[in-house]
Amino acid sequence: MGDILKIVGARVRDIRKERGLTQEQLAEVSGFHFTYIGAVERGEKNITLLNLEKMAEALDIEVQELFRYADLDLGQTSKQRDLQEVLDLLLRQSNEDIKRAKFILSEFYRSK
């Protein structure tokens, strides 16, 4: 069971850092103490689903986003992992930036 706690905790930490938040700031927004946030991120706390939902809301994400195992090898090929990383990156962008990325990729591969 410890692996799932570490994986979800690492995901919380990664998303928190992507948002530019400190543990203290996330704690303030989510209503938890910063030491609790740290323990969750280290996989030391068995966080309840209700607290996970509060944390997801504070991070402005859906709860299921905390269960995306970006760095966990689930038997995917390197190509599948790379494509998932590109997709994850694009999903965090605006519609305008996605269209821009699509145009750039189209132009890049059209010239080959």
Side-chain angles (χ1 to χ4, degrees):
M1 181 158 100
D3 286 346
I4 188 76
L5 297 177
K6 288 181 183 184
I7 291 167
V8 171
R11 193 77 177 116
V12 168
R13 182 190 59 243
D14 291 345
I15 295 169
R16 174 183 60 77
K17 287 183 176 183
E18 284 176 10
R19 301 283 191 270
L21 297 172
T22 64
Q23 288 181 346
E24 291 82 4
Q25 290 168 324
L26 177 57
E28 185 176 321
V29 174
S30 62
F32 299 114
H33 194 271
F34 73 91
T35 58
Y36 180 77
I37 300 293
V40 168
E41 289 184 357
R42 291 186 301 275
E44 297 171 356
K45 286 284 184 187
N46 188 3
I47 187 169
T48 67
L49 291 174
L50 293 175
N51 285 350
L52 203 59
E53 181 179 44
K54 288 179 188 176
M55 208 166 287
E57 287 175 7
L59 291 167
D60 195 29
I61 59 170
E62 298 292 324
V63 173
Q64 62 265 26
E65 187 66 28
L66 295 173
F67 293 95
R68 298 195 77 189
Y69 302 111
D71 296 328
L72 184 65
D73 183 7
L74 298 175
Q76 295 178 325
T77 65
S78 176
K79 183 176 182 177
Q80 289 170 320
R81 283 190 302 275
D82 289 343
L83 286 170
Q84 184 63 52
E85 287 180 27
V86 169
L87 181 58
D88 289 343
L89 176 66
L90 288 171
L91 286 172
R92 293 189 297 263
Q93 307 308 312
S94 69
N95 287 344
E96 183 178 309
D97 286 341
I98 291 171
K99 288 178 183 177
R100 188 175 300 123
K102 178 182 170 188
F103 175 78
I104 291 168
L105 287 171
S106 295
E107 291 298 310
F108 178 79
Y109 289 108
R110 186 173 307 157
S111 65
K112 288 192 167 207

